[in-house]
Amino acid sequence: MIIGGASLLEKNKDYVDELNVFPVPDGDTGTNMSLTVMAAAKEVQKVESDKVEDVGKALSSGALRGARGNSGVILSQLFRGFYKGLIGVESIDTTVLANAFEKGVATAYKAVMKPKEGTILTVAREGAEKAMQLALDSNDIEFVLEETIKYSEEVLQKTPDMLPVLKQAGVVDAGGQGLLFILKGALAVLKGEEIENLIVEEAPVKKARPQEMIDPKDIKFGYCTEFIINTNKEFQEELQFRDFLESIGDSVVVVCDDDIIKIHVHTNDPGNALQKGLEYGQLTNIKIDNMREQHESQLNIDENETVQPTELKDVGFIAVSIGEGLKEIFKGLGVDYIIEGGQTMNPSTEDILKAVDQVHAKDVFILPNNKNIILAADQAAKLVEGKALHVVPSKSIPQGIAALINFDENSSAINNYDNMKDCLDDVHTGQVTFAVRDTMIDDKEIEKDDILGIGDNKIMVVGKGLEESTKDLFDKLIDEDSELITIYYGEDVSEEDAMQIADYLEEEYDECEVEVHYGGQPLYYYIFSVE
């Protein structure tokens, strides 16, 4: 059922993307939700046990690590709470199902700082309440799920009445629609109906760039060794086993869950670890990777950028960005690792965790530079082990750059976090892009290919000409307190055109200092800051 739900959403993700107009029409809700539930389904496929709780745990864990964007993170929390409702359950009846739905809703609401009605949360909550009502009168789980979906569909159709932006655009909530595709796919499998492409393919996740400054020969322990021990007796020697693994390697993880023990260790002698494991039970899911060989093969993969220190340092930085020019700017400001992404390509929690692994520092600061990535970064901060991850909630590239500039290497991590966070509100961000479809936002009628001027995440200008619209947006953002204007021009803009904008600003606002940099970002002609 889980795979059926993932499959149906995957087939319809483009449709969900098209519905995505809240809070801006960035069109990636379907993609983010699909990648999240696909990650969860992949984990479920790996489960060999037929226990409800084990499947639920895999669902929760996979979704948590694969969560992308706000919608994906909220979906992962729905799954996490759903799993809580399955703990200790041998089979799912209507009461268990309804209770799991309600726990999912409670967990998701708790995870969102300011829940907004008219979204996926509303659809999930009212659906769960309906399921509980139905479960009181029926033991037919197919009937309860089908009627719950029907009711949720009615709630979804009402979301435009709850969120004015949806009504203006004439669409229902994208996240709620995505959730219903998952439920409908699950129901189809329950009813024995076929869904094409039920096998979950590998999600198109970008691979992290290798640690270019590390010689494979410098890897101390060469074999990543993982296995599961199936044991028929209570495991009481966890500490001794952990100490043994620490004596032959590092990166040791020992997780005990009922009758299985999950082992992960980096070692130069996998045989020793396996031999020790045999003392406690039968081995399964054995995986041994030669990390030195893997590292050499990855050296030719160039997708994300990393600058890897060879020694542990006090502080490191991660930034989410896209565009060669912006990448060089962040590197110049001391960023260790660039996660390629942004408005239309939100990195997952897992991507962020991999980035943190690449930064050899005690305290790591991450600059999401997009509000849709902040939740995934917050989630990563809760999962990081062995170092502290500080999420500076930057919502734009200029805010991220300003935060870096305000970092004081002589101050503590806590003080720096406060200073970096406090400076964000002093930066007004402007972005100039184009509309991908006809829509209505903030009482503005927008036609496909119109030039959009977005100021502080609100569409302020809709026009036909790039130069005219860009100047119009500047005029709306610059006030008597403005002192510094910084322009980052994208890959579709010439330096000459950018300088013409700068000349206009210097003439009209001679009290302001104007800087122009090549950003190289796609989709956005200009990103700029007014401070």
Side-chain angles (χ1 to χ4, degrees), residues 32-71:
N32 285 336
M33 291 184 71
S34 179
L35 289 170
T36 302
V37 71
M38 292 280 276
K42 285 170 62 182
E43 287 301 308
V44 169
Q45 283 183 307
K46 297 175 184 176
V47 176
E48 295 189 339
S49 164
D50 58 358
K51 289 185 175 180
V52 171
E53 185 174 329
D54 291 344
V55 175
K57 187 175 183 179
L59 171 72
S60 172
S61 176
L64 187 65
R65 288 192 168 271
R68 286 174 178 268
N70 281 359
S71 54

Short mmCIF file of all heavy atoms in Angstrom, two decimals, residues 32-71:
data_model
loop_
_atom_site.label_atom_id
_atom_site.label_comp_id
_atom_site.label_asym_id
_atom_site.label_seq_id
_atom_site.Cartn_x
_atom_site.Cartn_y
_atom_site.Cartn_z
N ASN A 32 8.72 17.52 -4.50
CA ASN A 32 9.25 17.33 -3.15
C ASN A 32 8.53 16.21 -2.40
O ASN A 32 9.16 15.38 -1.75
CB ASN A 32 9.13 18.63 -2.34
CG ASN A 32 10.16 19.66 -2.77
OD1 ASN A 32 11.21 19.32 -3.30
ND2 ASN A 32 9.86 20.93 -2.55
N MET A 33 7.22 16.20 -2.50
CA MET A 33 6.46 15.16 -1.80
C MET A 33 6.75 13.78 -2.40
O MET A 33 6.85 12.79 -1.68
CB MET A 33 4.96 15.46 -1.87
CG MET A 33 4.53 16.67 -1.06
SD MET A 33 2.73 16.92 -1.06
CE MET A 33 2.19 15.55 -0.04
N SER A 34 6.88 13.75 -3.71
CA SER A 34 7.15 12.47 -4.37
C SER A 34 8.51 11.92 -3.95
O SER A 34 8.65 10.73 -3.64
CB SER A 34 7.09 12.64 -5.89
OG SER A 34 7.37 11.42 -6.52
N LEU A 35 9.53 12.77 -3.93
CA LEU A 35 10.85 12.31 -3.52
C LEU A 35 10.84 11.82 -2.07
O LEU A 35 11.53 10.87 -1.71
CB LEU A 35 11.88 13.44 -3.69
CG LEU A 35 12.23 13.78 -5.14
CD1 LEU A 35 13.05 15.06 -5.21
CD2 LEU A 35 12.99 12.63 -5.80
N THR A 36 10.05 12.50 -1.23
CA THR A 36 9.97 12.10 0.18
C THR A 36 9.32 10.73 0.33
O THR A 36 9.86 9.85 1.02
CB THR A 36 9.17 13.15 0.97
OG1 THR A 36 9.80 14.43 0.83
CG2 THR A 36 9.08 12.78 2.44
N VAL A 37 8.17 10.55 -0.30
CA VAL A 37 7.47 9.28 -0.13
C VAL A 37 8.18 8.16 -0.88
O VAL A 37 8.13 6.99 -0.48
CB VAL A 37 5.99 9.41 -0.58
CG1 VAL A 37 5.87 9.53 -2.08
CG2 VAL A 37 5.16 8.23 -0.07
N MET A 38 8.90 8.51 -1.95
CA MET A 38 9.70 7.48 -2.64
C MET A 38 10.83 6.99 -1.74
O MET A 38 11.13 5.79 -1.70
CB MET A 38 10.28 8.06 -3.93
CG MET A 38 9.25 8.38 -5.01
SD MET A 38 8.71 6.93 -5.92
CE MET A 38 10.00 6.84 -7.13
N ALA A 39 11.45 7.91 -1.02
CA ALA A 39 12.50 7.51 -0.09
C ALA A 39 11.93 6.60 1.00
O ALA A 39 12.57 5.62 1.40
CB ALA A 39 13.14 8.76 0.54
N ALA A 40 10.73 6.93 1.45
CA ALA A 40 10.08 6.09 2.46
C ALA A 40 9.75 4.72 1.89
O ALA A 40 9.98 3.69 2.54
CB ALA A 40 8.80 6.78 2.95
N ALA A 41 9.22 4.69 0.67
CA ALA A 41 8.85 3.41 0.04
C ALA A 41 10.08 2.54 -0.18
O ALA A 41 10.00 1.31 -0.03
CB ALA A 41 8.14 3.68 -1.28
N LYS A 42 11.18 3.15 -0.52
CA LYS A 42 12.41 2.38 -0.71
C LYS A 42 12.84 1.71 0.59
O LYS A 42 13.29 0.56 0.60
CB LYS A 42 13.52 3.30 -1.22
CG LYS A 42 13.37 3.65 -2.69
CD LYS A 42 14.34 4.72 -3.08
CE LYS A 42 15.77 4.29 -2.92
NZ LYS A 42 16.71 5.38 -3.26
N GLU A 43 12.68 2.44 1.70
CA GLU A 43 13.02 1.83 2.99
C GLU A 43 12.07 0.69 3.32
O GLU A 43 12.48 -0.34 3.86
CB GLU A 43 12.96 2.90 4.09
CG GLU A 43 14.11 3.89 4.06
CD GLU A 43 15.46 3.21 4.20
OE1 GLU A 43 15.63 2.43 5.15
OE2 GLU A 43 16.33 3.43 3.34
N VAL A 44 10.81 0.88 3.01
CA VAL A 44 9.82 -0.17 3.27
C VAL A 44 10.14 -1.41 2.44
O VAL A 44 10.00 -2.55 2.92
CB VAL A 44 8.41 0.35 2.95
CG1 VAL A 44 7.40 -0.80 2.96
CG2 VAL A 44 8.00 1.41 3.96
N GLN A 45 10.58 -1.20 1.20
CA GLN A 45 10.93 -2.34 0.35
C GLN A 45 12.07 -3.18 0.94
O GLN A 45 12.18 -4.36 0.67
CB GLN A 45 11.33 -1.85 -1.04
CG GLN A 45 10.15 -1.44 -1.91
CD GLN A 45 10.59 -1.03 -3.29
OE1 GLN A 45 11.46 -0.17 -3.44
NE2 GLN A 45 10.01 -1.64 -4.31
N LYS A 46 12.90 -2.55 1.75
CA LYS A 46 14.05 -3.25 2.31
C LYS A 46 13.66 -4.11 3.53
O LYS A 46 14.45 -4.95 3.96
CB LYS A 46 15.12 -2.25 2.74
CG LYS A 46 15.70 -1.43 1.59
CD LYS A 46 16.67 -0.39 2.14
CE LYS A 46 17.19 0.52 1.03
NZ LYS A 46 18.05 1.60 1.58
N VAL A 47 12.48 -3.87 4.09
CA VAL A 47 12.09 -4.58 5.30
C VAL A 47 11.80 -6.04 4.99
O VAL A 47 11.00 -6.35 4.11
CB VAL A 47 10.85 -3.91 5.93
CG1 VAL A 47 10.39 -4.70 7.15
CG2 VAL A 47 11.17 -2.49 6.33
N GLU A 48 12.46 -6.95 5.68
CA GLU A 48 12.22 -8.38 5.47
C GLU A 48 11.15 -8.90 6.40
O GLU A 48 10.51 -9.91 6.12
CB GLU A 48 13.52 -9.16 5.68
CG GLU A 48 14.58 -8.79 4.65
CD GLU A 48 15.78 -9.71 4.73
OE1 GLU A 48 15.95 -10.34 5.80
OE2 GLU A 48 16.53 -9.81 3.75
N SER A 49 10.96 -8.25 7.52
CA SER A 49 9.93 -8.63 8.47
C SER A 49 8.55 -8.24 7.94
O SER A 49 8.40 -7.30 7.17
CB SER A 49 10.18 -7.93 9.80
OG SER A 49 9.04 -7.98 10.61
N ASP A 50 7.53 -8.98 8.34
CA ASP A 50 6.17 -8.61 7.95
C ASP A 50 5.42 -7.96 9.11
O ASP A 50 4.21 -7.84 9.10
CB ASP A 50 5.40 -9.84 7.44
CG ASP A 50 5.36 -10.95 8.50
OD1 ASP A 50 5.94 -10.76 9.59
OD2 ASP A 50 4.75 -12.00 8.22
N LYS A 51 6.16 -7.53 10.14
CA LYS A 51 5.53 -6.88 11.28
C LYS A 51 5.06 -5.47 10.92
O LYS A 51 5.79 -4.72 10.27
CB LYS A 51 6.49 -6.80 12.46
CG LYS A 51 6.77 -8.15 13.13
CD LYS A 51 7.62 -7.96 14.37
CE LYS A 51 7.81 -9.27 15.11
NZ LYS A 51 8.64 -9.10 16.31
N VAL A 52 3.88 -5.16 11.37
CA VAL A 52 3.32 -3.82 11.11
C VAL A 52 4.25 -2.74 11.65
O VAL A 52 4.53 -1.74 10.98
CB VAL A 52 1.93 -3.70 11.76
CG1 VAL A 52 1.43 -2.26 11.71
CG2 VAL A 52 0.95 -4.64 11.08
N GLU A 53 4.73 -2.95 12.85
CA GLU A 53 5.58 -1.94 13.49
C GLU A 53 6.89 -1.75 12.72
O GLU A 53 7.37 -0.63 12.57
CB GLU A 53 5.87 -2.35 14.93
CG GLU A 53 6.65 -1.30 15.71
CD GLU A 53 6.78 -1.68 17.17
OE1 GLU A 53 5.88 -2.35 17.71
OE2 GLU A 53 7.79 -1.31 17.77
N ASP A 54 7.47 -2.84 12.23
CA ASP A 54 8.71 -2.73 11.47
C ASP A 54 8.50 -1.95 10.17
O ASP A 54 9.33 -1.12 9.77
CB ASP A 54 9.26 -4.12 11.15
CG ASP A 54 9.76 -4.84 12.40
OD1 ASP A 54 9.95 -4.15 13.42
OD2 ASP A 54 9.96 -6.06 12.34
N VAL A 55 7.39 -2.25 9.52
CA VAL A 55 7.08 -1.52 8.28
C VAL A 55 6.86 -0.04 8.58
O VAL A 55 7.35 0.85 7.88
CB VAL A 55 5.85 -2.13 7.59
CG1 VAL A 55 5.45 -1.29 6.38
CG2 VAL A 55 6.13 -3.56 7.17
N GLY A 56 6.13 0.22 9.66
CA GLY A 56 5.89 1.60 10.04
C GLY A 56 7.17 2.34 10.39
O GLY A 56 7.35 3.51 10.04
N LYS A 57 8.06 1.63 11.04
CA LYS A 57 9.34 2.25 11.40
C LYS A 57 10.15 2.60 10.16
O LYS A 57 10.76 3.67 10.06
CB LYS A 57 10.14 1.30 12.30
CG LYS A 57 11.39 1.89 12.88
CD LYS A 57 12.04 0.92 13.85
CE LYS A 57 13.27 1.56 14.50
NZ LYS A 57 13.89 0.63 15.46
N ALA A 58 10.15 1.69 9.19
CA ALA A 58 10.87 1.95 7.94
C ALA A 58 10.24 3.11 7.19
O ALA A 58 10.94 3.97 6.62
CB ALA A 58 10.86 0.70 7.07
N LEU A 59 8.94 3.16 7.22
CA LEU A 59 8.22 4.27 6.58
C LEU A 59 8.64 5.60 7.20
O LEU A 59 8.96 6.57 6.50
CB LEU A 59 6.72 4.05 6.75
CG LEU A 59 5.80 5.21 6.35
CD1 LEU A 59 5.77 5.36 4.84
CD2 LEU A 59 4.38 4.97 6.87
N SER A 60 8.65 5.63 8.52
CA SER A 60 9.00 6.85 9.23
C SER A 60 10.46 7.25 8.98
O SER A 60 10.75 8.40 8.65
CB SER A 60 8.77 6.65 10.73
OG SER A 60 9.26 7.73 11.47
N SER A 61 11.35 6.28 9.11
CA SER A 61 12.77 6.57 8.97
C SER A 61 13.11 7.01 7.55
O SER A 61 13.84 7.99 7.34
CB SER A 61 13.59 5.32 9.34
OG SER A 61 14.95 5.53 9.12
N GLY A 62 12.58 6.31 6.56
CA GLY A 62 12.87 6.67 5.17
C GLY A 62 12.36 8.04 4.80
O GLY A 62 13.03 8.81 4.13
N ALA A 63 11.15 8.35 5.26
CA ALA A 63 10.58 9.66 4.96
C ALA A 63 11.36 10.77 5.65
O ALA A 63 11.60 11.83 5.06
CB ALA A 63 9.12 9.70 5.41
N LEU A 64 11.76 10.50 6.89
CA LEU A 64 12.49 11.52 7.65
C LEU A 64 13.80 11.89 6.95
O LEU A 64 14.15 13.06 6.80
CB LEU A 64 12.79 10.99 9.05
CG LEU A 64 13.40 11.98 10.03
CD1 LEU A 64 12.42 13.09 10.32
CD2 LEU A 64 13.80 11.27 11.31
N ARG A 65 14.52 10.88 6.48
CA ARG A 65 15.82 11.16 5.86
C ARG A 65 15.68 11.64 4.43
O ARG A 65 16.58 12.27 3.89
CB ARG A 65 16.69 9.90 5.92
CG ARG A 65 17.18 9.61 7.32
CD ARG A 65 18.26 8.56 7.34
NE ARG A 65 18.89 8.52 8.65
CZ ARG A 65 19.93 9.26 9.00
NH1 ARG A 65 20.46 10.10 8.13
NH2 ARG A 65 20.45 9.19 10.20
N GLY A 66 14.57 11.34 3.78
CA GLY A 66 14.41 11.77 2.39
C GLY A 66 13.58 13.02 2.23
O GLY A 66 13.32 13.44 1.10
N ALA A 67 13.17 13.63 3.34
CA ALA A 67 12.25 14.77 3.27
C ALA A 67 12.84 15.94 2.50
O ALA A 67 13.99 16.31 2.72
CB ALA A 67 11.87 15.21 4.68
N ARG A 68 12.03 16.51 1.61
CA ARG A 68 12.47 17.66 0.82
C ARG A 68 11.41 18.76 0.89
O ARG A 68 10.23 18.49 0.73
CB ARG A 68 12.64 17.28 -0.65
CG ARG A 68 13.87 16.46 -0.93
CD ARG A 68 13.89 16.01 -2.36
NE ARG A 68 15.09 15.27 -2.63
CZ ARG A 68 16.22 15.80 -3.10
NH1 ARG A 68 16.27 17.08 -3.36
NH2 ARG A 68 17.27 15.07 -3.32
N GLY A 69 11.89 19.99 1.10
CA GLY A 69 10.98 21.12 1.10
C GLY A 69 9.99 21.06 2.27
O GLY A 69 9.92 20.08 3.01
N ASN A 70 9.24 22.14 2.43
CA ASN A 70 8.27 22.17 3.53
C ASN A 70 7.25 21.05 3.41
O ASN A 70 6.93 20.39 4.40
CB ASN A 70 7.54 23.52 3.53
CG ASN A 70 8.38 24.60 4.15
OD1 ASN A 70 9.49 24.35 4.59
ND2 ASN A 70 7.85 25.80 4.18
N SER A 71 6.72 20.86 2.22
CA SER A 71 5.68 19.85 2.05
C SER A 71 6.24 18.46 2.35
O SER A 71 5.55 17.64 2.96
CB SER A 71 5.15 19.89 0.62
OG SER A 71 6.21 19.79 -0.31
#
